Amino acid sequence: MKILFKNIKGLLQTLSKTKTYLKGFEMKKLSQINNAYLLINNDEIIDFGKMNSCPKIEVDEVVDAKGKFILPTWCDSHTHIVYSGSREEEFVDRIAGSTYEEITKKGGGILNSAKKLKKTSFEQLYKESSKRLEEVMSLGTGAIEIKSGYGLDLLEEIKMLEVIDKLKKNYPASIQATFLAAHAIPSEYKNKKKKYVDQIVNEWIPIVSKKNLAKYIDVFCEKGYFEIKETRLIIEAGKRHGLIPKIHVNQFNSFGGVALCTKMDSLTIDHLEVLTNKDLEAIKKSNTMPVALPNCSFFLKIPYTPARKIIDQNIPLVLASDYNPGSAPSGNMNFVVSLACTKMGMSPEEAINAATINGAHAMGLSKELGSITKGKKANFIITKTIKSYSMIPYAFGSNLIEDVYIKGKSINIS
Ligand code: NIG
Ligand code: FE
């Protein structure tokens, strides 16, 4: 099935096959073809260019995109969308003055979600999670990473990973699973953290890997959660079993996590709200890509990841939503892009690059997604009629998306 999109006001993020991410200064430019066409065949982009060179061929459908922009779907490389219920009571507590850390100490936070998850059947968890996935797809997300981490025991973690697996089978969005048993210390292991870590390392990782339920390994590397030594053991075990590290680090404290993860060749390091010059130097010398999660900073009122400091050192940066019930109950990548501009000083070009091609790289998917490139998957957003693409971050409360195509098919928003 061939579809021709014609008269596109601006076709964005047209990259050559060899560009699998953009770093630092390269992020300033967002490639664009004005008055363009785009031709897809089934789930693949087969051609694009200026309207005056549009091929005169027979197609099955023509879509007139006059006045509209087409850009790749968002690649959201960090989420926790498989969870049960919500935690708005903690949100209300925080308004009244409690901090995220204080709420955690009182049994709230991740352990609260773990309690709810245990009481939720597989079917119900799948139903709640698919609703969230459908919502973010309608907001332009075409690829998404989803973590476990609210199970905190083997069977519950597997329940989460199997929900992710079922989502993968039933939805067109590209889904990548991450094993995050080291998200918090369950209360029954309160004074036996070593035992919990040993179990993850020696029993759970081998099983999850054997069942092929995850591609990535993650740890909440943070004071009071998992320290450097524990993080190292889990990354090493993950690697031994073929899981690639993507690590939560420096959300509240900088205490050596960045040095460890860069040295261990983690694909990404995520959060980095606290970032020292030493951390920055370590990132600069590595292949590890930093990921900023501005929804979390917005919602918890914590500092934003210093994007300018990172990009101005010619380092690549990724933007992701962190969609989860505690620190970021929204997976709206349009809002993430907007926050990156208003709160982190990124230009619209930098933000769109960070949320598309760089997001794809952060999930190991940039050979097939993240840009308008011949041979890549036909995943793109068609905007409403807008003046310029800067309207996307500018009009932060409005939905400027007219339609979303994932693997060549419209998800029919209206
Ligand atoms: O990325 N920081 C650790 N994990 C999540 C929050 C999880 C939760 O509060 O449920 C995050 O922000
Ligand atoms: Fe997270």
Side-chain angles (χ1 to χ4, degrees), residues 78-80 147 180 183 218 248 271 293 322 324 327:
H78 181 137
T79 82
H80 310 247
K147 299 170 195 297
L180 175 59
H183 197 192
D218 193 352
H248 281 76
H271 274 290
L293 308 165
D322 199 15
N324 76 74
S327 68

Side-chain angles (χ1 to χ4, degrees), residues 132-315:
R132 292 179 199 116
L133 179 60
E134 284 171 23
E135 186 204 3
V136 298
M137 281 165 53
S138 75
L139 291 167
T141 296
I144 187 166
E145 181 257 17
I146 311 174
K147 299 170 195 297
S148 71
Y150 294 120
L152 311 180
D153 91 21
L154 181 60
L155 291 183
E156 295 300 309
E157 283 290 308
I158 288 183
K159 178 166 95 185
M160 290 187 76
L161 292 169
E162 285 179 341
V163 166
I164 300 173
D165 209 47
K166 187 165 173 185
L167 293 171
K168 213 188 255 187
K169 291 187 176 116
N170 291 350
Y171 285 92
S174 298
I175 297 174
Q176 304 292 314
T178 298
F179 185 44
L180 175 59
H183 197 192
I185 297 109
S187 19
E188 45 303 8
Y189 288 90
K190 202 166 170 219
N191 298 311
K192 295 181 278 186
K193 191 162 42 154
K194 185 174 177 313
K195 207 168 160 204
Y196 186 60
V197 173
D198 283 352
Q199 201 164 232
I200 295 175
V201 165
N202 298 318
E203 294 171 31
W204 299 2
I205 287 176
I207 293 173
V208 165
S209 154
K210 199 159 165 228
K211 284 180 174 280
N212 214 0
L213 282 171
K215 179 172 171 191
Y216 296 106
I217 181 80
D218 193 352
V219 179
F220 186 17
C221 176
E222 183 56 60
K223 283 206 182 304
Y225 291 81
F226 297 89
E227 309 282 332
I228 299 300
K229 199 175 142 214
E230 294 145 355
T231 304
R232 184 190 305 118
L233 289 172
I234 294 167
I235 295 178
E236 280 169 357
K239 281 180 143 188
R240 275 199 303 279
H241 292 274
L243 304 180
I244 302 162
K246 275 171 76 66
I247 310 295
H248 281 76
V249 72
N250 283 37
Q251 182 175 2
F252 301 109
N253 296 286
S254 168
F255 65 107
V258 170
L260 172 77
C261 295
T262 49
K263 209 160 62 206
M264 297 198 74
D265 228 8
S266 187
L267 176 62
T268 66
I269 38 176
D270 305 42
H271 274 290
L272 308 174
E273 287 87 343
V274 181
L275 192 70
T276 64
N277 288 339
K278 213 170 134 198
D279 292 331
L280 206 58
E281 279 311 306
I283 300 172
K284 207 173 169 181
K285 284 193 215 120
S286 75
N287 292 318
T288 298
M289 205 180 272
V291 180
L293 308 165
N295 276 356
C296 172
S297 303
F298 172 78
F299 194 68
L300 293 186
K301 287 199 279 182
I302 62 174
Y304 286 83
T305 304
R308 281 271 53 97
K309 241 169 124 177
I310 295 171
I311 295 173
D312 294 346
Q313 285 286 321
N314 206 23
I315 296 169

